[in-house]
Amino acid sequence: MKSQKIVICGEVFSNNIGDAIIAETFSYLIKTSMPSIKVDFLDLSLREELDKYILLEEEMPSIDASKTSLKLFMWKLIIKVFSHRGATTLWWFFKWRPQRYRLYKHKLKGASMLIIGGGQLLADNNFDFPLKIYGVSQCAKKLGLPFYFYGCGVSYHWSRLATFLFSQALNHATSITVRDIESLNRLSKRIPGILTKLNASHDIATCCAEAYGIHRKENSQYIGLGVAEPDVLKRHSKEVVKDFFSENKLLTFWSGIVHELITRKLQFKFFTNGSATDQLFAEAIVNSLVESRDRSDVLLPRPTSGKALVETISDFRGIVAFRLHACIVAYSLGIPVIGIKWDDKLESFFKESKQENYCFEASSITSAKLVDSLVSTISQGVDTNTLNSMKMKTIQEVEKQLLVATQSS
């Protein structure tokens, strides 16, 4: 190796703290395997800490019918000719690319390898990730830096342009490990040429309890209710269930669960994974509850670090949650969990962990059935054999990939 420095690239400092947990757990696994290696982080969106950006980029012009100017007229014409995605690509190459590439290269300086890792990064989320991943992979390529994809999820739909950009990055990667079989199957169909270097493992955050040295609290009396806000659920869910994720329907959903918990004299607290908009919606839920109660009694503060979120979840005896990494953190800690489906990735995790019976469609599960299932899984506890097997396989896969990577550098 030219040096002992690995750069982990992802949404490291996103306010959805699940991304920080992935990066920090990955760093822990690398350092445990090879203590002499230095690990640095590169945030795809160029943040240097939570919600603090290194670079504030000029936003694309908004299409405001009330405004008239030559610049706005030209931009409307570009969108009409190239589509919004095509216009975004042009904006990237002519406005964002020069500064962003310079900062990417600065962050990669002195590294021996780049790992683009964790989270649902291979997703066409309004064309954001395709351009960023293409950009950082191009910088690594120009620097002669080998790069790897590890532990990434693959969304169920890509546009043609996103497929082209992702293909450019993935075809030049040294190896690609995705976090579940569904992601592997999608990639193998979309880009058949990468099959020889494509592999599947478990989500890195499965080992987060060990990474932070945190254990579940014994004799906890609280149920954790993990909230995600309506817009993110609608944006990433399939068409057939989008209608359920309106604010009113979600308020009714949570109100029914709370009523059932109170009826059974089960104590609860709401929490989020750190997103400010999730926290606002959690406040709206608490404010809407018929049962009068002080918000501070049932809504926990917004976590601002990976450790804080893991500590929050460690205080529960069981959880009900929408966010994937709320479920994975609980599972890593050996805490029973009920998952609410809205994206395939949640269902994939529950299949891998042999908990298919505890992942439900929000639109079809009744409050009584959900709480029945929660009580049942708390009574049975987490299958430690499956949990320990998943953790061991995750550790072994990271070690194997590191060994191959370091020997070829």
Side-chain angles (χ1 to χ4, degrees):
M1 293 175 67
K2 291 180 289 185
S3 68
Q4 297 290 313
K5 175 181 167 182
I6 292 175
V7 175
I8 297 174
C9 176
E11 289 290 277
V12 181
F13 300 116
S14 163
N15 61 20
N16 180 3
I17 302 298
D19 293 297
I21 289 173
I22 293 167
E24 289 165 359
T25 302
F26 204 177
S27 176
Y28 163 82
L29 293 177
I30 291 171
K31 289 177 179 177
T32 301
S33 177
M34 296 184 173
S36 63
I37 289 179
K38 179 184 178 184
V39 177
D40 281 351
F41 296 128
L42 166 57
D43 187 281
L44 263 181
S45 299
L46 293 176
R47 291 164 289 218
E48 55 187 351
E49 57 186 72
L50 184 69
D51 287 338
K52 184 177 179 182
Y53 288 82
I54 303 169
L55 172 66
L56 291 176
E57 296 169 315
E58 183 182 348
E59 293 185 0
M60 289 196 308
S62 59
I63 305 304
D64 189 341
S66 65
K67 294 180 180 179
T68 58
S69 69
L70 180 60
K71 181 179 179 180
L72 190 58
F73 172 78
M74 293 299 295
W75 187 245
K76 287 180 180 178
L77 186 61
I78 288 170
I79 289 178
K80 186 174 181 179
V81 174
F82 293 100
S83 79
H84 194 274
R85 289 175 181 273
T88 303
T89 307
L90 290 172
W91 191 263
W92 165 275
F93 281 102
F94 290 105
K95 279 288 186 180
W96 292 337
R97 183 178 180 275
Q99 284 182 305
R100 182 174 284 275
Y101 278 29
R102 186 169 65 251
L103 288 168
Y104 281 158
K105 287 177 181 177
H106 174 73
K107 287 285 185 178
L108 295 173
K109 186 178 180 181
S112 56
M113 74 177 75
L114 166 68
I115 300 175
I116 301 171
Q120 192 86 334
L121 291 183
L122 296 175
D124 189 1
N125 59 337
N126 295 324
F127 214 44
D128 189 34
F129 286 166
L131 284 165
K132 289 175 179 175
I133 287 174
Y134 171 80
V136 77
S137 67
Q138 286 293 300
C139 290
K141 184 180 170 186
K142 288 179 180 178
L143 292 169
L145 187 64
F147 62 94
Y148 304 74
F149 285 83
Y150 193 92
C152 297
V154 180
S155 65
Y156 62 87
H157 174 73
W158 290 355
S159 66
R160 287 184 181 181
L161 200 47
T163 302
F164 171 76
L165 292 170
F166 279 140
S167 297
Q168 291 295 303
L170 291 162
N171 280 322
H172 288 99
T174 303
S175 70
I176 304 156
T177 302
V178 291
R179 70 178 175 200
D180 52 52
I181 296 299
E182 281 78 6
S183 293
L184 184 145
N185 290 337
R186 286 171 184 161
L187 266 192
S188 63
K189 289 176 183 177
R190 290 172 195 169
I191 316 174
I194 62 173
L195 269 173
T196 56
K197 55 185 176 183
L198 182 59
N199 190 25
S201 184
H202 301 303
D203 193 289
I204 297 161
T206 305
C207 295
C208 70
E210 289 74 19
Y212 292 102
I214 294 173
H215 306 280
R216 65 176 298 184
K217 305 297 188 296
E218 297 297 331
N219 304 316
S220 171
Q221 297 303 306
Y222 289 98
I223 303 298
L225 303 178
V227 174
E229 55 99 358
D231 284 346
V232 74
L233 297 177
K234 283 188 285 190
R235 190 162 60 246
H236 297 292
S237 62
K238 292 183 177 178
E239 289 295 331
V240 292
V241 294
K242 281 185 189 293
D243 287 346
F244 180 81
F245 297 125
S246 68
E247 183 170 337
N248 287 338
K249 287 183 179 178
L250 284 169
L251 288 173
T252 302
F253 170 80
W254 283 118
S255 177
I257 292 172
V258 165
H259 176 75
E260 195 68 33
L261 291 172
I262 291 172
T263 299
R264 303 188 195 203
K265 295 182 170 53
L266 295 171
Q267 298 182 72
F268 62 91
K269 289 184 184 289
F270 285 97
F271 73 97
T272 69
N273 277 27
S275 163
T277 49
D278 283 2
Q279 194 76 18
L280 284 172
F281 186 57
E283 291 176 8
I285 294 168
V286 173
N287 290 337
S288 74
L289 297 179
V290 174
E291 289 84 356
S292 178
R293 50 188 60 242
D294 185 343
R295 180 191 296 169
S296 63
D297 285 342
V298 293
L299 176 58
L300 293 171
R302 174 189 169 202
T304 57
S305 70
K307 184 178 182 182
L309 178 57
V310 178
E311 285 179 336
T312 291
I313 293 174
S314 72
D315 280 331
F316 299 130
R317 60 188 295 208
I319 75 165
V320 178
F322 281 90
R323 291 281 190 183
L324 173 63
H325 283 92
C327 297
I328 293 177
V329 169
Y331 185 64
S332 179
L333 291 161
I335 295 171
V337 55
I338 299 292
I340 310 300
K341 295 182 200 176
W342 56 286
D343 191 319
D344 290 350
K345 62 189 179 185
L346 206 74
E347 192 169 6
S348 294
F349 167 71
F350 275 82
K351 283 180 181 177
E352 282 188 350
S353 56
K354 300 178 182 178
Q355 302 178 98
E356 299 98 318
N357 294 336
Y358 296 113
C359 188
F360 300 103
E361 295 280 0
S363 57
S364 57
I365 185 73
T366 66
S367 302
K369 174 71 184 303
L370 189 149
V371 175
D372 282 343
S373 297
L374 177 64
V375 171
S376 171
T377 188
I378 289 173
S379 174
Q380 293 175 16
V382 169
D383 178 359
T384 54
N385 288 334
T386 302
L387 173 58
N388 291 335
S389 173
M390 287 179 68
K391 289 185 177 187
M392 184 57 64
K393 286 179 182 176
T394 302
I395 293 167
Q396 288 173 346
E397 188 62 33
V398 170
E399 288 177 345
K400 183 177 83 174
Q401 293 294 330
L402 277 176
L403 184 63
V404 171
T406 53
Q407 286 179 345
S408 62
S409 296

